Amino acid sequence: MERDARIYVAGHTGLVGAALVRELDRRGYRNLVLAERARVDLREQAAVRDFYRETRPDYVFVAAAKVGGILANDSYPADFIYDNLMIATNLIHGAYEQKVEKLLFLGSSCVYPKFAPQPMQEADLLSGPLEPTNQWYAVAKIAGIKLCQAYRRQYGCNFIAAMPTNLYGPGDNFDLMTSHVMPALLRKFHEAKQADSPEVIVWGSGQPRREFCHVDDCAAACLHLMGVYDGEEIVNIGVGNDLSIRELAEIIRDIVGFQGEIVFDTGRPDGPPIKRVDTGVINALGWQPRIELEQGVRATYDWYVSYKADHRG
Ligand code: GDP
């Protein structure tokens, strides 16, 4: 991307979008196109079309999405499928109409089948049934991938799609009812320590295995792909290792300095038993993650504590 290119980061207030803006800024890109939800509702086709016409971006990162953890996905299936289908359709079709130079669509590792062989390779897409808890989100994201591929085939659009593994980092959603496991546990352990509670409840059996990638690594990977990759196939973004939810809880307990017990609530869903992406493709394209899990969790915890301090009252 040329330094003065107009770069639209859709979803710039979210976890990934904000990290993309930080990384673009760090690399000297100054001509960013950003819009709050109040300015353009990405679920509205006419609004998106007008916005594209007005701002004429050269490059687009689709980091906008309705996202949430295992409970939110299960509780709001209509919102998850509708919002994400509309956002993907409007932004991708609009980019075609506006003759955008290149677009990167962000999906998620939950597009892969529930029992895909581990680690999950790009070719495993659509090879089996989805995990029921997040199938609504997954179907919308798969539609987004297929839109990119279809516009490439029919119109020659340079639209690519990246599938990050579970992400975490500063700016994450710490609401216990809608968040993913990492921010939820940081908050639960922090509050338990503050309140001197004897225990922290962790959902599920603690056995599921997940891979966690710091969002700053993900942003760097997205910029890398924007620079070097022009293919139809999706590309995974991950770190190449996983751990159990129990192990994650223990790491967070130690970082937070909580002295009590960890209790597993097996009445809560586990979701897929394991979720890890194969990173052979992106590694071969010349990208590697930099942030170790413990270092990243510590930094995220520090961010959470200072954010809470700034927003109290
Ligand atoms: P997933 O990766 O799509 O399954 O989404 P999550 O990040 O929400 O959940 C990952 C795993 O962490 C699941 O097995 C959850 O049951 C487990 N987990 C344990 N405690 C929590 C919690 O407090 N919140 C969430 N969201 N998940 C939790």
Side-chain angles (χ1 to χ4, degrees):
M1 295 187 293
E2 316 74 51
R3 278 286 171 280
D4 59 347
R6 296 165 75 79
I7 304 171
Y8 173 31
V9 180
H12 73 284
T13 56
L15 176 66
V16 181
L20 279 167
V21 171
R22 286 195 298 273
E23 187 64 20
L24 286 162
D25 191 56
R26 209 177 59 74
R27 297 193 192 187
Y29 291 99
R30 293 285 173 263
N31 209 350
L32 303 190
V33 176
L34 309 171
E36 309 286 335
R37 184 175 310 195
R39 172 144 180 236
V40 48
D41 183 336
L42 298 175
R43 295 166 302 187
E44 300 291 337
Q45 187 181 32
V48 173
R49 182 177 287 147
D50 289 349
F51 181 73
Y52 266 128
R53 280 189 188 143
E54 219 175 283
T55 56
R56 293 172 287 102
D58 302 308
Y59 296 91
V60 177
F61 289 91
V62 181
K66 164 108 184 139
V67 296
I70 195 160
L71 181 65
N73 267 272
D74 223 13
S75 313
Y76 308 108
D79 293 356
F80 274 85
I81 193 163
Y82 177 80
D83 288 8
N84 288 309
L85 278 173
M86 296 307 283
I87 292 169
T89 307
N90 293 338
L91 284 173
I92 292 167
H93 183 73
Y96 150 68
E97 285 182 328
Q98 194 56 45
K99 301 188 172 58
V100 161
E101 189 87 15
K102 189 165 181 180
L103 172 148
L104 184 148
F105 176 75
L106 274 144
S108 146
S109 60
C110 72
V111 298
Y112 290 113
K114 175 165 184 167
F115 297 112
Q118 300 291 322
M120 301 180 288
Q121 297 186 340
E122 287 83 353
D124 294 327
L125 185 70
L126 292 172
S127 61
L130 297 167
E131 153 66 27
T133 50
N134 57 27
Q135 59 179 315
W136 324 102
Y137 176 81
V139 163
K141 285 295 180 186
I142 293 169
I145 294 169
K146 290 293 160 192
L147 280 161
C148 290
Q149 295 175 341
Y151 280 78
R152 170 180 295 278
R153 283 201 193 175
Q154 189 174 339
Y155 299 117
C157 298
N158 195 359
F159 295 170
I160 61 174
M163 301 303 120
T165 194
N166 289 31
L167 300 174
Y168 72 97
D172 210 339
N173 166 21
F174 285 80
D175 178 312
L176 293 180
M177 286 298 112
T178 56
S179 67
H180 283 102
V181 62
M182 177 78 80
L185 294 189
L186 283 169
R187 178 172 176 172
K188 284 182 182 176
F189 280 101
H190 178 75
E191 290 181 350
K193 181 184 163 190
Q194 301 265 313
D196 239 337
S197 306
E199 61 184 38
V200 163
I201 310 276
V202 175
W203 294 353
S205 64
Q207 302 304 313
R209 300 186 70 83
R210 295 288 183 276
E211 174 188 23
F212 296 92
C213 176
H214 192 282
V215 72
D216 289 350
D217 271 339
C218 176
C222 290
L223 262 67
H224 187 75
L225 290 174
M226 208 46 143
V228 305
Y229 184 69
D230 293 320
E232 175 178 308
E233 277 307 307
I234 59 176
V235 181
N236 290 335
I237 299 175
V239 297
N241 53 58
D242 59 8
L243 77 175
S244 71
I245 297 299
R246 175 191 291 276
E247 288 165 330
L248 177 71
E250 289 168 357
I251 289 174
I252 293 178
R253 177 194 61 194
D254 295 348
I255 286 173
V256 172
F258 172 70
Q259 307 284 347
E261 296 279 311
I262 299 174
V263 175
F264 293 95
D265 176 0
T266 50
R268 297 283 191 169
D270 268 345
I274 177 165
K275 222 166 41 158
R276 176 152 81 84
V277 298
D278 186 298
T279 53
V281 172
I282 194 162
N283 297 155
L285 288 167
W287 179 83
Q288 292 286 343
R290 291 165 182 264
I291 305 172
E292 296 287 336
L293 183 67
E294 282 211 37
Q295 175 200 353
V297 175
R298 218 172 272 283
T300 306
Y301 180 55
D302 291 345
W303 178 88
Y304 171 65
V305 172
S306 63
Y307 178 87
K308 265 176 71 78
D310 289 349
H311 291 76
R312 193 161 290 147

